[in-house]
Amino acid sequence: MEIFWLSAIAIFTVGFLLMKKKRKNGCDLLPPGNLGQPLVGETIRFLQAFKRNKIDEFLRQRVMAYGPVFKTCLFGQPTVVMTGPAGNRFWLVNDGKLFHGNARGPHRAIIGRNSLLDKNGEEHRLVRAALMTFFSPDSLKKLVGKMDSAIRRHLDEYWDGKETVHAVHLMKFTAFSVTCDVLFNVQDKFQVEELCELFKVATDGIYSFPVRFPGSRLNRALKARSQIDRILSEMIMRRKNDLKSGGPSARQDLISALLSLTKKDGKVLSDQELKDNIVLLVIAGHETTAMTLALMCKLLAENPLCFDRIDKEAADIGVGEQLTWEDVQRMKYLWSVAQETLRFIPPISGIFRRATADIQYGRYTIPKGWAMYWSNYSTVYREDLFPEAHKFDPSRFQGSGGIRPYSFLPFGGGLRMCPGNEYAKLEIVITMHHLVKRYRWSAQIPDEPIIRNPLCVPAMGLPLKLTPVLNN
Ligand code: HEM
């Protein structure tokens, strides 16, 4: 505990002195803004806004006071916030050149230090290239049938026959099962349930207070991570044996794709690198997709006309045994509902980086070592970019030319843009297509508020009343 506070005070003091030194030299103009109280800065206000899903208000107040780029102090670090399409563009073009990832604390301990998230330069490019190939349109075309079957099986087993469901909880499990099945070839029901529980405990720890003691969330999370590692070690060993014996390695999945990577020095990824990347992919891949789907369920319950349009569009799609790539391409209105959901309530509200050099942005200098923050919320509620921005209106994503460049980036952009974005699209539309074909639903809690925990979720877990559609 003491070590934590001493380190926090040291980080803040060094940051503060660096900033003062710059000011004295007089050559660099820092962005305007308020560094807030010593040490705490504006962290409490930021966290309050974050928890209530009001980051847009936190940003808007400061943009009005200081302009589109401003300084603040968050989590003990002087931080520059870049907003608007120009800020987004600068971020995308310079990510990985002028600033790098800033993973710290429990995040790093639980996902591990060897995943893509913690790598820069060549090491980052290598794993990323493998993911981009795995998630390329050609590969995804081959996954449609498999994903369709996995989703149907899951709905048969866990959704059918239920009168009420807690959509947040069930959707997380749905996305988790589909991830295990489609990406890692894990279908065994008991193993999926066990892994899902372990990942839930591990993920909880990512956003916990960064101190480990018996019974703490972080402690439970790290123990869960060790158990996950044991299961992954066995899976990796089996897969290596398969590859050696020319066995079922043809069942191309993400583990096989990562196993076949060779670094510049001729070495393959170590087991720890494999495990950390698998953990990253499971965590990054299922929660975001699940929350988008849960929020779509909520928004569709509140907007029955949108539901009817999806239902109409779905009527003559997927009349064969299995959905095809062509079927998915016809789900245009459904995808515009998904995009509007991602705009209306972006699952990832913002991203931190650290400046690796002094950065010139307009007439301002962002000192080396400062944190930088970028948020989707700086654009998605701007009336000049999205007229009637507080109205849920999927039609703004129909047709071409409606969305201004750099104003809608739910999957980030640049060097670290989400490599799973097309895969996520596939999973979202196929899952929602089946839900609409099978059920009608209504929210049991009218106007259930949205909180961030840390992704956006309906505060009470979104209980829904389900009614099956006969003869679906
Ligand atoms: C609706 C669903 C999703 C959303 C909104 C989303 C959003 C994002 C965003 C904004 C980033 C950029 C983070 C940054 O710049 O630091 C990101 C990165 C990432 N996402 Fe996603 N994501 C989604 C689904 C997925 C899926 C399905 C996968 C994989 C199965 C995935 C894997 C990753 C990985 C590995 C990264 C790190 C990339 C890197 O550091 O190079 N995501 N995601």
Side-chain angles (χ1 to χ4, degrees):
M1 187 78 172
E2 275 170 8
I3 289 177
F4 169 74
W5 284 113
L6 284 173
S7 327
I9 290 168
I11 290 170
F12 180 78
T13 313
V14 170
F16 196 74
L17 290 176
L18 277 175
M19 192 191 71
K20 279 214 143 178
K21 186 172 159 231
K22 289 262 165 208
R23 270 212 209 117
K24 259 192 194 154
N25 290 347
C27 51
D28 298 325
L29 182 61
L30 290 172
N34 175 15
L35 290 171
Q37 301 299 317
L39 188 61
V40 210
E42 296 196 288
T43 311
I44 292 171
R45 285 208 192 102
F46 178 81
L47 285 176
Q48 282 169 342
F50 183 83
K51 186 87 187 150
R52 290 186 296 119
N53 191 31
K54 296 285 178 208
I55 293 285
D56 57 317
E57 276 177 20
F58 178 91
L59 296 176
R60 199 173 43 245
Q61 285 160 4
R62 284 153 187 80
V63 168
M64 276 165 64
Y66 309 118
V69 51
F70 61 87
K71 69 172 179 287
T72 176
C73 176
L74 301 175
F75 307 107
Q77 302 181 83
T79 304
V80 169
V81 183
M82 311 186 97
T83 70
N88 290 354
R89 185 174 183 282
F90 186 82
W91 187 278
L92 303 196
V93 172
N94 294 298
D95 194 10
K97 296 179 198 154
L98 300 177
F99 35 91
H100 277 165
N102 193 22
R104 294 179 310 143
H107 204 270
R108 209 174 202 177
I110 288 158
I111 293 181
R113 289 163 181 269
N114 300 286
S115 83
L116 183 67
L117 224 49
D118 242 346
K119 303 283 180 193
N120 291 303
E122 184 50 38
E123 286 189 285
H124 174 251
R125 251 191 306 278
L126 178 80
V127 177
R128 203 179 152 88
L131 296 183
M132 297 309 283
T133 309
F134 190 86
F135 292 124
S136 69
D138 276 348
S139 312
L140 289 180
K141 272 181 201 171
K142 295 180 199 141
L143 284 184
V144 174
K146 188 177 181 188
M147 186 183 281
D148 184 45
S149 306
I151 291 169
R152 285 182 204 235
R153 261 201 314 276
H154 183 87
L155 297 185
D156 290 347
E157 171 123 23
Y158 295 98
W159 287 68
D160 274 4
K162 301 249 168 40
E163 285 181 8
T164 52
V165 293
H166 275 81
V168 169
H169 176 73
L170 192 51
M171 208 57 101
K172 276 193 196 178
F173 183 48
T174 304
F176 187 85
S177 306
V178 174
T179 302
C180 286
D181 191 335
V182 179
L183 297 185
F184 302 107
N185 266 317
V186 178
Q187 284 104 8
D188 179 79
K189 188 180 151 179
F190 299 106
Q191 185 161 46
V192 173
E193 286 176 8
E194 183 192 5
L195 276 169
C196 187
E197 195 46 44
L198 289 171
F199 267 97
K200 184 178 169 305
V201 179
T203 315
D204 271 357
I206 290 182
Y207 304 97
S208 62
F209 194 63
V211 179
R212 189 173 185 182
F213 56 87
S216 69
R217 266 166 71 188
L218 181 60
N219 196 45
R220 283 200 302 272
L222 290 169
K223 280 186 173 169
R225 170 71 213 243
S226 306
Q227 284 176 269
I228 292 170
D229 274 4
R230 263 201 297 281
I231 298 173
L232 292 184
S233 294
E234 281 169 26
M235 277 166 62
I236 290 168
M237 201 170 66
R238 270 202 306 275
R239 203 56 55 85
K240 281 183 180 168
N241 288 339
D242 282 352
L243 280 167
K244 262 193 221 143
S245 61
S249 60
R251 298 182 317 183
Q252 270 299 325
D253 65 4
L254 259 178
I255 304 182
S256 314
L258 294 172
L259 272 172
S260 63
L261 281 181
T262 316
K263 298 185 198 173
K264 257 191 174 163
D265 58 8
K267 289 189 181 151
V268 293
L269 294 188
S270 69
D271 279 9
Q272 201 52 53
E273 284 172 312
L274 286 167
K275 283 184 255 179
D276 288 0
N277 277 304
I278 295 170
V279 169
L280 166 67
L281 284 159
V282 173
I283 292 179
H286 89 278
E287 288 240 2
T288 42
T289 310
M291 285 314 101
T292 307
L293 280 160
L295 292 166
M296 276 172 89
C297 285
K298 178 175 179 349
L299 290 163
L300 286 174
E302 291 164 1
N303 294 276
L305 292 179
C306 297
F307 186 101
D308 289 347
R309 276 195 70 179
I310 297 180
D311 191 34
K312 238 189 200 153
E313 182 183 74
D316 62 340
I317 296 180
V319 286
E321 288 252 302
Q322 239 180 13
L323 284 176
T324 62
W325 179 254
E326 288 68 34
D327 287 330
V328 172
Q329 305 315 307
R330 289 168 62 209
M331 299 177 185
K332 289 194 185 337
Y333 183 73
L334 173 48
W335 179 234
S336 58
V337 171
Q339 285 179 294
E340 177 66 343
T341 306
L342 290 165
R343 178 196 73 85
F344 208 57
I345 314 172
I348 296 191
S349 66
I351 293 162
F352 283 94
R353 297 279 193 265
R354 182 176 295 281
T356 49
D358 280 356
I359 298 173
Q360 208 57 44
Y361 182 66
R363 59 203 181 98
Y364 300 121
T365 299
I366 303 164
K368 178 178 174 183
W370 276 37
M372 299 173 65
Y373 178 71
W374 168 87
S375 171
N376 270 307
Y377 276 111
S378 85
T379 48
V380 294
Y381 284 131
R382 261 178 54 173
E383 288 287 327
D384 57 329
L385 300 170
F386 297 97
E388 293 190 84
H390 287 272
K391 184 175 161 198
F392 181 74
D393 179 9
S395 71
R396 62 177 99 240
F397 285 97
Q398 290 186 291
S400 55
I403 307 297
R404 287 251 302 273
Y406 305 109
S407 57
F408 176 62
L409 302 165
F411 295 101
L415 211 65
R416 288 193 181 262
M417 180 176 175
C418 177
N421 74 97
E422 286 297 328
Y423 174 88
K425 172 179 174 180
L426 210 59
E427 187 175 339
I428 290 168
V429 294
I430 295 180
T431 307
M432 192 49 74
H433 173 83
H434 286 305
L435 289 178
V436 168
K437 284 215 143 188
R438 284 183 188 216
Y439 318 110
R440 296 292 170 265
W441 60 84
S442 55
Q444 293 206 307
I445 303 173
D447 299 322
E448 188 175 337
I450 303 287
I451 54 163
R452 278 198 175 267
N453 189 22
L455 298 184
C456 269
V457 279
M460 271 78 86
L462 190 61
L464 296 177
K465 184 174 176 329
L466 278 192
T467 316
V469 174
L470 300 174
N471 306 322
N472 73 74

